Amino acid sequence: MYRPCTFGIEEEYLLVDLGSGRLLAKPSPAVSLCCREVLGEYYADELFRCQIELASPVFDSLQQAQCFFSERRYCLEQALAEHGVGLYCAGSHPNAEWLRQRPGAAPHHRQLFTDYQYVARRSVASGLHVHVGVPAACDRIRLINSLVYWLPLLLVLSTSSPLWGGQVTGYMSYRRVLCGEWPHMGLPEPLPDWPAYQRYRALLQRSGSLAADGAFWWALRPSHRYPTVELRICDGCPQLEDALCIAGLFRHLVEACVAASNPATPVNREIHWITQENYWRALRHGRHAEFIGVHQQQPVTAEGWLAQLSHRYPPDSVDALHAFVQARRIVLEGTSADRQLACHAAASAAGLSAQQALRAVVEQVLGEACRLP
């Protein structure tokens, strides 16, 4: 009998000086210790010293995830405030000053800076990752082929990185533009099955393009460490309810495809082309874009695309229903990127300086991250 899939969530956070609104290029030992003590076993270092990760335990329900992240976010925010530090939960900081940021202490992160140079140094950005466990017999590459078309829609719901380097970038997810500078960090390769994936991986390892223990960073990938498929396309979400919505939708998608009598979608170059186009539109325009729909490739809005998803994979649980309701609210009312741009425009229209307008955005994002669902 089919059973619901378990899942886990990883959130990346940036550490901000509450006095200036700037990123902490080198957090003090006291701040680093504070993060480790509050998050305990769920703490992880990240690519930059100004960045940390909260990696959850395995969940069975969105309620469990909400309780866990509400408590951890609140406790960490309160503890960091005593050090004059804020928790910044968004895809990018509006003025990250990436040349000032220092690599994390872990040898793995330092090696990335050595290997990728400016590409690594520029990647001051935070994502939301969701793992969903699948049965051992499931071919995860064939499963990914069933899921890949919907990836840009999940990105739309998360967009939160419209400002970069003190400028309005014109992109709702500039973080994904930065991701495009890395190898193996775009959409997953259109491979037919797990054996083909293993051959592809072996080829790159033989040619020196991938380390023996290396992993791909695709927008959706089979996890190298866990029996999961891992969603990596999404920006970090200031509002926890948005992150939970995305986790719930992705889990529902995986469950629906795993439970289907013929869950695997064969490699289809046309679907790959359409997904690439929708991906570009999603990172550029977010929920305001016109997408290529699932029915006869007709134009569709983000709201219409979400309705197509609901029609193809109807919600069959309380968690899935809640996720669809929240997703519709997001596409109608706006994402963090919309709110950041509105805040920046209002501050500029009020006569604030460029730096003051950026600071207003920082304050808005910090405030949303502290709001409990």
Side-chain angles (χ1 to χ4, degrees):
M1 179 182 295
Y2 167 73
R3 302 182 67 179
C5 297
T6 57
F7 67 102
I9 301 171
E10 298 167 357
E11 286 193 323
E12 296 168 345
Y13 308 132
L14 295 168
L15 302 177
V16 173
D17 184 303
L18 291 177
S20 66
R22 299 169 69 184
L23 293 181
L24 290 180
K26 187 179 179 182
S28 69
V31 168
S32 298
L33 180 61
C34 172
C35 294
R36 293 175 183 274
E37 288 184 341
V38 172
L39 300 184
E41 64 183 302
Y42 307 113
Y43 169 90
D45 289 316
E46 260 300 332
L47 185 60
F48 296 91
R49 293 194 185 186
C50 65
Q51 189 176 45
I52 63 171
E53 180 181 274
L54 171 55
S56 79
V58 177
F59 300 127
D60 294 309
S61 70
L62 286 181
Q63 183 179 14
Q64 291 176 349
Q66 178 180 331
C67 291
F68 176 85
F69 278 96
S70 294
E71 179 183 358
R72 295 312 188 283
R73 277 194 181 198
Y74 176 78
C75 290
L76 186 56
E77 182 269 333
Q78 293 292 307
L80 286 173
E82 296 182 5
H83 298 274
V85 176
L87 196 64
Y88 199 85
C89 311
S92 68
H93 186 281
N95 192 16
E97 300 175 300
W98 57 272
L99 285 171
R100 294 183 62 247
Q101 306 312 315
R102 302 188 180 189
H108 169 66
H109 293 142
R110 291 187 175 275
Q111 188 62 49
L112 290 176
F113 275 76
T114 299
D115 292 344
Y116 297 105
Q117 298 291 312
Y118 261 40
V119 169
R121 295 190 68 183
R122 277 172 40 82
S123 297
V124 186
S126 294
L128 166 72
H129 302 164
V130 182
H131 288 263
V132 175
V134 297
C138 178
D139 185 316
R140 287 183 285 169
I141 295 301
R142 298 181 72 196
L143 175 61
I144 283 172
N145 291 335
S146 301
L147 301 168
V148 69
Y149 169 75
W150 303 102
L151 289 180
L153 179 58
L154 297 176
L155 173 61
V156 165
L157 298 174
S158 74
T159 51
S160 66
S161 50
L163 295 113
W164 175 260
Q167 302 293 323
V168 175
T169 65
Y171 292 82
M172 301 302 272
S173 177
Y174 193 71
R175 168 182 161 270
R176 288 308 303 180
V177 176
L178 295 173
C179 290
E181 298 179 353
W182 291 77
H184 318 306
M185 203 178 278
L187 295 176
E189 291 291 334
L191 302 167
D193 51 28
W194 187 258
Y197 169 79
Q198 291 179 310
R199 291 194 299 273
Y200 176 65
R201 182 182 174 85
L203 183 153
L204 294 185
Q205 289 172 334
R206 288 196 307 271
S207 64
S209 300
L210 187 70
D213 60 347
F216 298 114
W217 300 307
W218 293 334
L220 174 63
R221 70 176 183 180
S223 172
H224 192 50
R225 294 184 296 167
Y226 308 113
T228 65
V229 285
E230 180 186 3
L231 179 72
R232 299 175 56 86
I233 198 171
C234 294
D235 284 359
C237 297
Q239 294 186 3
L240 178 55
E241 57 262 42
D242 292 355
L244 296 174
C245 161
I246 291 165
L249 273 185
F250 180 58
R251 179 199 189 194
H252 173 67
L253 262 172
V254 173
E255 289 178 342
C257 291
V258 169
S261 57
N262 183 23
T265 299
V267 173
N268 184 320
R269 297 299 300 183
E270 191 169 274
I271 289 294
H272 185 70
W273 298 333
I274 291 172
T275 304
Q276 286 280 13
E277 179 60 28
N278 281 340
Y279 174 43
W280 157 253
R281 297 182 186 189
L283 66 88
R284 171 68 173 87
H285 300 289
R287 71 187 181 100
H288 307 284
E290 185 177 78
F291 299 97
I292 303 173
V294 71
H295 300 304
Q296 300 179 347
Q297 301 166 13
Q298 84 288 8
V300 65
T301 64
E303 182 184 7
W305 201 12
L306 180 66
Q308 290 181 353
L309 174 61
S310 179
H311 178 76
R312 174 162 290 196
Y313 302 113
D316 55 1
S317 67
V318 172
D319 277 0
L321 181 60
H322 176 81
F324 273 106
V325 169
Q326 176 68 5
R328 188 168 186 273
R329 184 198 66 77
I330 293 172
V331 297
L332 291 177
E333 298 180 8
T335 66
S336 173
D338 291 299
R339 294 189 294 274
Q340 289 180 48
L341 290 173
C343 176
H344 185 267
S348 299
L352 273 64
S353 68
Q355 286 302 314
Q356 289 172 327
L358 295 174
R359 179 64 186 275
V361 173
V362 171
E363 294 296 335
Q364 183 214 54
V365 171
L366 289 172
E368 287 191 359
C370 299
R371 193 185 79 186
L372 300 182

